[in-house]
Amino acid sequence: MNKDDPNAERYITIARACLKAINDTAEHSGSREEKIQAVYQAIDSAFQAEFSEYRQSVAIMATVLERIASGQLNADSAADLARKTLDQQPETTRNALMH
């Protein structure tokens, strides 16, 4: 993976969580199915943690878009609200591709 990839840190975090879950399940007794489920759960938890910031940003932007779409703001107020919303977005959600 290219270190310039904006998602490199996310991939690394998720990969580490997966490897930890695999190592943890290898050391414990339990059925094969339980071990597989533990790894799946670790993957899901890592994805949820990594993308929670995106979901929060999308929810905020959706609220702002709904307010703008309501037609209750004039063009200048709508543009100002949009700019302020974009400025408040976390750095990790700006310009970072999500795939």
Side-chain angles (χ1 to χ4, degrees), residues 9-33:
E9 284 300 315
R10 286 186 180 90
Y11 292 135
I12 291 168
T13 301
I14 292 167
R16 284 185 182 143
C18 295
L19 291 173
K20 181 182 180 321
I22 290 168
N23 289 334
D24 289 349
T25 60
E27 295 173 2
H28 297 88
S29 61
S31 72
R32 182 175 185 273
E33 184 60 32

Side-chain angles (χ1 to χ4, degrees), residues 8 32 40 47 51 55 61-62 66 74 89 94 96 99:
R32 182 175 185 273
Y40 286 161
F47 268 100
F51 292 105
R55 283 192 298 278
M61 286 189 257
E66 287 172 2
N74 65 36
Q89 295 306 301
R94 298 177 195 196
H99 23 150

